[in-house]
Amino acid sequence: MSGKFKRKDAAADVHSDDGADAAPPKKTSKVDTNNDDDDDNIVVCEISRNRRVSVRTWQGKVVVDIREFYSKDGKQLPGKKGISLTMDQWKVLREHIDEIDQAATENA
């Protein structure tokens, strides 16, 4: 066993009075109150009523974002369903677009 992972002694857990019975902290999502991300977001096209393709900066990198949106309080907000492609991934997809188009046409 590596030194990185250490096994706890079961007997020590039973007799521990250091608050080990407390529930682990709940995961919370970060809510960004600044709408600075809207400045970096360039909507290229709307594929349908709730789907968009945009180019934006995410964690300092430019990504092509294909994502579903939902309405809440009169605002269009990005949903979980979608994909963000790095520029390398976008270039690979772009290079294969003719093959994808041909396969889609053959299977339609």
Side-chain angles (χ1 to χ4, degrees):
M1 187 181 282
S2 71
K4 195 172 188 180
F5 301 102
K6 294 184 179 180
R7 195 171 171 168
K8 286 187 175 183
D9 185 15
D13 286 345
V14 172
H15 300 294
S16 177
D17 289 335
D18 60 352
D21 294 333
K26 292 183 180 180
K27 292 183 181 180
T28 58
S29 61
K30 293 182 180 179
V31 177
D32 187 12
T33 55
N34 295 339
N35 287 333
D36 294 340
D37 291 340
D38 291 342
D39 297 338
D40 296 339
N41 195 12
I42 301 169
V43 176
V44 176
C45 68
E46 290 193 19
I47 298 173
S48 67
R49 189 179 67 136
N50 292 327
R51 291 185 181 158
R52 296 182 190 166
V53 178
S54 60
V55 177
R56 63 189 184 106
T57 303
W58 176 253
Q59 296 181 344
K61 296 181 182 180
V62 176
V63 295
V64 175
D65 195 40
I66 304 168
R67 187 153 309 277
E68 285 190 357
F69 282 73
Y70 65 96
S71 296
K72 182 176 180 182
D73 298 330
K75 294 182 180 179
Q76 288 287 325
L77 300 172
K80 290 181 181 180
K81 292 183 181 179
I83 186 168
S84 294
L85 301 172
T86 64
M87 291 312 296
D88 291 337
Q89 293 168 335
W90 171 248
K91 288 176 184 176
V92 170
L93 180 63
R94 197 175 60 194
E95 289 170 1
H96 292 87
I97 204 73
D98 290 335
E99 298 165 38
I100 295 167
D101 191 39
Q102 182 180 356
T105 303
E106 290 172 0
N107 291 315

